[in-house]
Amino acid sequence: MARARAILRGLRPGALLFGPIFQREVVASGRRRGTYVARCAYAVGLLVIVGLIFNGMRDSAGSYSAVSRLQALQTAAPQLALVIAWFQFVAMTLGSPILSAGAICDEKRARTLAVLMTTPLTSAQIVVGKLASRLVHILILSLIATPFLLAIRVCGGLDAALVLGTTALALTTAVLGASLGLLFSVGHARATTAAVMGLLALLLVQGGPAAAEGVIYYAVNYSDLGAPATYEYHKNILATCAPATMGLTTLGVAMGTGAPDLVIQADWPFDGVEGPVARSFGPTWAWCSGYNLVMAAGATLLTIRVLRRRMLREASGGGAPTRARRRRRRAPATTAMPEPAIHGAAGPAASTEAAPAAPEAPSGAKAGDAHDEPVRERERQREVSHHPVLWRELRQSSFGSRRAAWIVVLVTLGGLILLYANTRMSDEGLHATIAVLGAIVAMIQPVFLTTGGVAGEREARTWEVLLTTPLSGRAVVLGKYLGLLRAQWFLPSVALGHLSVAALGGWISWWFAVHAALIFLGPALFLTATGQLFSLVFRKAVTAAVANLGVALALWLGVWVALLMGGWFMDWTDSRWFARFGHAAYALNPVAMAVSSGESAMHPGRIASEFTLEGFSRVRLSLGEFTAVVVGVLAAYAALGGGALALAILGFRRLSGRSS
Amino acid sequence: MIEITNLTKRFGDLVAVDHLSLSIGPGEVFGFIGPNGAGKSTTMKILACLMKPDEGSARVDGLDVMRDGDRIRRILGYMPDFLGVYDDLTVDEYLQFFAAAFEIPRSRRRTVVDSVLELTDLTGKRKAMVDSLSRGMQQRLGVARVLIHEPKVLLLDEPASGLDPRARIEMRSLITELGRMGKCLMVSSHILTELGEMSTSIGIIERGRLLFAGSLAEALARVRGGERIAIRPEGDADLVSAAATLAADPRVARAFAEDGNLVVELTPGEHGHHFVLERLMVSGVRIASFAPQAVKLEDAFLTLTKGALQ
């Protein structure tokens, strides 16, 4: 009875949401400069977008009368409101897993999770308190954008229901993202890994059902096997995908039909009407928001369970589930575990539950050193080279753990099998899709995976020790850079492997594979270098990852915005340089370049003078010219990366903490 | 070997190290004592070229920490209070990694690694993964790591922290042995008895200010005046009159009865204990036990920091 009362007391909304964890998190984040920098950056981003569009509208209607200008303003106001709504949606969706990824990781690193365990706080109070504190930030960001949306209503922007709808979509997606970031924060040691996993999980939860429906649709309607069949894509499934719902809402506003409703076709009579009828179940955004909240609640419950299990495990004397413990758990109680390369010091039997009386390790292990974990050994000893940092980095696992490696390999294989099963090698779309996917991976991987180099050492407390050696800044920075570059090999190699096979088989030109390799390499060279630089500058890997994401967005989005601003404010649009900058901005984008290369280099013998370079105007290039552009862009990326590395090396002493 | 003059380090309004000056010679084991936040680790970090001082200078073997970092790192070994380890390496690889970082030629590396493993009694753990070692073994590995390049100066920040009694004793004898080898050691610890047993000199720091620096004998001499003797009489002795008899002696500062014992506090200086026994015998007190209470480093610490801890 008392226990039930205690549980109920812990489940009170006040205790759950606004308990000591929430209060501590809000107070601590209020003291951080980064909190205000992020909010200011968000507000400035909004202002820039509003200013750009407003200025563009003013210019386009500038030569007409005041009435015409007002009419132009009224026509464009809904678009402006939608741009703001999209900005809000994208920023909050991408930001939420990053915001919550450090929540438990930081506690583990600071070793305060064990301290929390000694208090009467439940795992539910910890998780919900942390989530609620993150939601406060998200709510504040939302409050920054919403006044803009409502203010634009004066000029005839979106109606209140649509403002509510788009804000609800952004908020609930952010809640889901934050819940998923928190879930992975429990299981991962590094916040950056938790953030990346959170983002991937968000992608899966949002895109999974719609994609699965798409696969069924494609398999049934376009399969070569069996009799032709028709399968209608159930559009309502898009209510599980917030970006799609936002897209449908945007479309509805553009077409003047408003936000779409969730409609169900039914064969049974409604309201006395016979035959198939369509029945509306309210706006799609409401359903999508509901889906997001349900999934967020599920993720939060799972997080509570995972954290509780972890806390119980730690309370029973164990820590994080090490490989040794996992192996021991899996092993039958009476059977000695065969050990492949690493096993307990006292031999294989020491790894099993049946061998508690196994003799203590031969030497070096003292009575006082006894701990419940068997000491793992590696039989094969390696010789360290003259460049120890590089040596170690090159031997680091690319995937972090064997389990992660298996997941990545299986998912990649599954994706390829799905693609190969539904297409033929002669299908141009297959090769283009793989090249574009490779380019996307080449853009995303270095943004997030390269910022743990130094920040990871700081978090593991090995950085100070490394700094007391005579290793130069150049040896440390370059060693880590090359190691991080190597760690990104797998997915681009799969794409290049496919393109090479296709080229060998004569389905595509070899030039396509060569261009793709050069296109993939550029962003990796540059963003790995900036990741390394930010890793030195910022103490936390997740902050470094956000800064690196900012560089990537500035490169692939900011350049376009800057060009547009230049065009509008400086009246550059007719300038020859404007077009050239446009082409340069296009050439810097790996996805765009992969598309351009794929369009023309797909077929051997059909490549000369077929390449196009989009920008603000289209230009056709010969194979030689296009290859020169690809090489030039790679050189530019390498030069920029070299600059970032040079900054890291020159500033190493100051940034690392060495006094001389 | 270590010369610190007027060293000052501030973090905002907080003065972590306040005009600290001290000197430590070769073969000296310098025990650095002070409560948490007193400035011990900051001083060590400055000496290890991991932090810039705001004022003053620090020299290691004549080299300035602000200018000669590269040369200092080759002769100095620093073990931080919390030892982070590379979890993907074995003990042997970990030590090889640092041997390579200190540019020890490959031909000599094996011998060097073997000798430090031997010295720290980790030879049997050569193939063990570093992250699977116990805390005690990781601390020993930390010591092995700082010895890999045969440094002249060792800075050990709380080396015995988190160790069990056996590992503490081993660590203590290892440090004493290193001192005998002629190395200059600066060791910080909260456990004063341990420092007392292995240090040849001590420094007491509080709120960034060095309250005392000198040999252990000097520190103990400062408090020796308060030496106490606890005497337990046999049977029903008249402790009050015995105390009065003893208090009449000019070498006795105070004598009083406490929990059935007679407690005698001597005046400062070197005094034999025979006169106490003689006077008690004359007074007819039969003695069951006679226990001079040795002056400990704790007493020195409390005396020397008296008035500074508020």
Side-chain angles (χ1 to χ4, degrees):
Chain A
M1 194 63 189
R3 188 176 142 77
R5 260 204 305 271
I7 291 170
L8 284 174
R9 212 171 28 242
L11 289 176
R12 276 177 306 153
L16 265 180
L17 286 168
F18 309 115
I21 296 286
F22 172 83
Q23 289 168 23
R24 185 239 157 221
E25 293 281 334
V26 170
V27 168
S29 69
R31 289 183 189 139
R32 274 185 223 122
R33 200 175 46 181
T35 307
Y36 303 101
V37 170
R39 284 175 196 167
C40 286
Y42 184 79
V44 167
L46 263 177
L47 276 172
V48 166
I49 286 175
V50 171
L52 275 174
I53 297 173
F54 193 76
N55 190 62
M57 286 183 330
R58 195 192 60 190
D59 281 356
S60 62
S63 55
Y64 303 105
S65 65
V67 177
S68 307
R69 281 206 298 272
L70 196 63
Q71 278 174 345
L73 210 61
Q74 280 176 343
T75 313
Q79 293 161 17
L80 176 60
L82 279 172
V83 169
I84 293 170
W86 270 103
F87 177 85
Q88 175 179 253
F89 176 77
V90 171
M92 284 165 63
T93 303
L94 288 179
S96 56
I98 296 170
L99 199 64
S100 64
I104 306 287
C105 292
D106 289 347
E107 297 273 3
K108 283 188 283 185
R109 201 180 60 245
R111 302 181 171 207
T112 47
L113 198 59
V115 179
L116 287 180
M117 283 167 54
T118 62
T119 68
L121 284 170
T122 61
S123 50
Q125 283 172 316
I126 294 171
V127 169
V128 177
K130 286 200 175 276
L131 184 63
S133 67
R134 264 65 181 181
L135 295 185
V136 168
H137 293 298
I138 292 167
L139 205 63
I140 289 170
L141 291 184
S142 161
L143 287 175
I144 294 171
T146 309
F148 281 97
L149 289 170
L150 291 172
I152 296 166
R153 287 197 66 208
V154 177
C155 309
L158 298 180
D159 64 39
L162 278 170
V163 170
L164 177 72
T166 53
T167 307
L169 275 175
L171 265 175
T172 55
T173 314
V175 171
L176 176 58
S179 317
L180 291 169
L182 198 61
L183 171 63
F184 288 101
S185 183
V186 178
H188 288 88
R190 289 185 182 172
T192 321
T193 321
V196 172
M197 295 303 291
L199 281 168
L200 288 175
L202 185 62
L203 188 72
L204 189 71
V205 173
Q206 291 285 291
E213 175 71 5
V215 168
I216 295 167
Y217 170 80
Y218 193 86
V220 173
N221 291 341
Y222 296 93
S223 171
D224 293 338
L225 308 167
T230 49
Y231 180 85
E232 198 180 336
Y233 188 88
H234 293 92
K235 293 190 190 72
N236 285 335
I237 199 79
L238 292 176
T240 60
C241 179
T245 309
M246 277 291 286
L248 290 174
T249 307
T250 308
L251 205 67
V253 172
M255 294 170 71
T257 54
D261 282 357
L262 192 84
V263 176
I264 293 177
Q265 294 274 358
D267 286 333
W268 60 88
F270 278 114
D271 303 326
V273 181
E274 293 293 334
V277 288
R279 173 121 184 177
S280 169
F281 284 87
T284 311
W285 65 258
W287 283 95
C288 186
S289 301
Y291 170 78
N292 283 342
L293 289 178
V294 168
M295 296 309 279
T300 307
L301 286 174
L302 188 59
T303 312
I304 292 168
R305 186 176 149 73
V306 173
L307 183 67
R308 185 176 158 72
R309 281 180 61 191
R310 189 188 172 89
M311 288 165 88
L312 286 174
R313 195 168 50 228
E314 294 212 355
S316 64
T322 61
R323 263 173 274 173
R325 194 183 293 121
R326 276 199 295 268
R327 219 179 295 132
R328 199 172 41 185
R329 258 207 309 264
R330 281 200 296 267
T334 52
T335 316
M337 270 283 290
E339 296 291 320
I342 298 170
H343 59 68
S351 303
T352 67
E353 298 291 348
E360 186 58 50
S363 76
K366 307 292 176 180
D369 288 336
H371 62 153
D372 64 339
E373 286 295 303
V375 175
R376 287 178 289 119
E377 289 191 351
R378 182 189 280 142
E379 283 302 328
R380 192 172 58 85
Q381 292 299 299
R382 302 170 295 188
E383 191 84 2
V384 179
S385 79
H386 288 304
H387 305 284
V389 176
L390 177 63
W391 176 88
R392 180 174 166 264
E393 291 294 331
L394 291 180
R395 276 151 192 82
Q396 297 259 55
S397 162
S398 301
F399 305 98
S401 67
R402 201 172 291 176
R403 190 174 58 167
W406 275 113
I407 290 171
V408 172
V409 168
L410 289 176
V411 168
T412 310
L413 274 176
L416 284 176
I417 288 168
L418 207 65
L419 272 175
Y420 291 144
N422 289 295
T423 52
R424 294 191 183 87
M425 284 300 270
S426 56
D427 191 342
E428 293 180 1
L430 171 70
H431 311 303
T433 304
I434 286 181
V436 167
L437 286 174
I440 291 171
V441 165
M443 290 159 83
I444 293 173
Q445 274 196 149
V447 170
F448 292 106
L449 302 185
T450 61
T451 54
V454 175
E457 291 238 20
R458 280 203 183 107
E459 287 171 1
R461 309 277 291 268
T462 50
W463 186 234
E464 274 190 351
V465 171
L466 195 66
L467 289 181
T468 56
T469 67
L471 284 171
S472 65
R474 195 181 54 180
V476 175
V477 169
L478 288 181
K480 289 200 168 288
Y481 177 72
L482 294 173
L484 291 168
L485 213 52
R486 184 205 66 101
Q488 303 166 41
W489 68 276
F490 181 71
L491 292 173
S493 299
V494 169
L496 289 176
H498 166 86
L499 294 178
S500 302
V501 169
L504 271 174
W507 290 293
I508 60 166
S509 159
W510 266 106
W511 283 108
F512 187 23
V514 172
H515 287 164
L518 298 176
I519 290 166
F520 295 170
L521 189 58
L525 288 177
F526 172 57
L527 287 170
T528 305
T530 51
Q532 182 77 349
L533 176 65
F534 291 133
S535 178
L536 260 173
V537 172
F538 298 106
R539 293 196 71 78
K540 286 187 174 179
V542 74
T543 318
V546 170
N548 217 23
L549 179 66
V551 169
L553 289 176
L555 190 68
W556 295 317
L557 205 68
V559 172
W560 288 103
V561 173
L563 269 175
L564 285 169
M565 281 177 74
W568 278 327
F569 289 108
M570 317 286 282
D571 209 15
W572 269 8
T573 38
D574 297 331
S575 158
R576 197 165 42 129
W577 286 103
F578 187 68
R580 285 188 181 170
F581 278 131
H583 295 143
Y586 182 88
L588 280 174
N589 191 318
V591 172
M593 288 296 277
V595 169
S596 279
S597 178
E599 272 177 2
S600 303
M602 199 71 76
H603 301 290
R606 251 187 59 192
I607 44 182
S609 70
E610 285 285 333
F611 293 93
T612 55
L613 208 55
E614 309 277 351
F616 289 93
S617 62
R618 178 177 278 216
V619 64
R620 287 189 176 277
L621 301 173
S622 68
L623 171 65
E625 286 169 335
F626 187 81
T627 307
V629 169
V630 171
V631 171
V633 169
L634 175 63
Y637 272 124
L640 287 170
L645 280 181
L647 276 177
I649 292 169
L650 292 173
F652 185 81
R653 203 176 75 188
R654 201 171 61 81
L655 296 170
S656 67
R658 270 182 180 168
S659 62
S660 62
Chain B
M1 295 293 266
I2 293 177
E3 287 286 339
I4 298 176
T5 315
N6 263 332
L7 198 72
T8 303
K9 177 71 191 175
R10 296 185 190 88
F11 297 106
D13 293 335
L14 177 81
V15 185
V17 180
D18 190 1
H19 295 93
L20 186 140
S21 299
L22 63 87
S23 151
I24 308 169
E28 208 172 307
V29 180
F30 181 84
F32 210 20
I33 307 167
N36 288 329
K40 304 185 297 290
S41 297
T42 306
T43 309
M44 285 191 170
K45 280 185 180 175
I46 291 171
L47 286 170
C49 305
L50 290 174
M51 203 178 267
K52 275 185 188 172
D54 292 320
E55 284 174 41
S57 69
R59 291 180 166 275
V60 177
D61 201 23
L63 303 167
D64 190 342
V65 294
M66 290 297 288
R67 283 204 312 267
D68 308 310
D70 283 342
R71 290 164 68 193
I72 289 176
R73 280 187 275 276
R74 288 172 196 280
I75 57 161
L76 182 135
Y78 169 63
M79 188 171 140
D81 54 348
F82 179 87
L83 181 73
V85 289
Y86 293 123
D87 54 8
D88 51 342
L89 301 181
T90 63
V91 167
D92 187 81
E93 288 163 356
Y94 182 78
L95 293 173
Q96 271 199 64
F97 177 90
F98 283 99
F102 279 102
E103 294 165 16
I104 294 169
R106 202 175 279 199
S107 54
R108 269 191 59 221
R109 233 181 263 166
R110 173 59 48 212
T111 322
V112 170
V113 169
D114 285 350
S115 66
V116 293
L117 283 174
E118 183 73 34
L119 187 68
T120 51
D121 204 8
L122 282 171
T123 310
K125 294 286 162 199
R126 181 191 292 278
K127 293 175 183 173
M129 299 301 289
V130 168
D131 64 331
S132 72
L133 294 178
S134 68
R135 175 77 192 262
M137 282 194 270
Q138 285 192 358
Q139 288 287 90
R140 289 217 296 272
L141 181 63
V143 176
R145 201 256 315 153
V146 293
L147 294 174
I148 201 98
H149 59 296
E150 296 176 30
K152 290 180 184 174
V153 178
L154 285 164
L155 308 175
L156 309 178
D157 198 355
E158 304 277 355
S161 129
L163 297 188
D164 57 55
R166 178 188 278 271
R168 275 176 196 281
I169 293 165
E170 284 171 3
M171 181 66 75
R172 198 167 62 209
S173 50
L174 182 61
I175 289 170
T176 312
E177 180 60 30
L178 291 170
R180 269 195 224 115
M181 287 161 71
K183 297 190 187 300
C184 166
L185 282 102
M186 189 184 216
V187 186
S188 80
S189 177
H190 289 120
I191 303 150
L192 301 181
T193 44
E194 248 171 37
L195 276 183
E197 285 169 36
M198 64 187 169
S199 306
T200 54
S201 59
I202 61 160
I204 297 175
I205 188 170
E206 164 68 14
R207 291 186 187 178
R209 277 180 296 142
L210 192 70
L211 302 177
F212 173 83
S215 69
L216 199 60
E218 278 178 82
L220 297 179
R222 291 223 187 165
V223 288
R224 192 146 283 163
E227 190 182 3
R228 288 158 65 110
I229 304 167
I231 302 152
R232 192 157 60 82
E234 221 176 57
D236 295 331
D238 183 2
L239 292 182
V240 178
S241 65
T245 312
L246 282 170
D249 193 294
R251 288 164 290 188
V252 175
R254 216 152 62 102
F256 54 92
E258 188 182 79
D259 299 335
N261 285 344
L262 181 63
V263 179
V264 182
E265 275 183 14
L266 303 182
T267 53
E270 291 287 334
H271 305 298
H273 296 156
H274 59 91
F275 77 94
V276 180
L277 288 166
E278 284 164 8
R279 282 184 175 267
L280 288 173
M281 297 286 269
V282 169
S283 306
V285 178
R286 292 166 69 90
I287 298 166
S289 73
F290 184 91
Q293 291 174 344
V295 181
K296 292 178 194 155
L297 193 55
E298 279 100 329
D299 304 316
F301 178 75
L302 288 173
T303 308
L304 293 167
T305 56
K306 201 172 180 182
L309 290 169
Q310 284 81 35

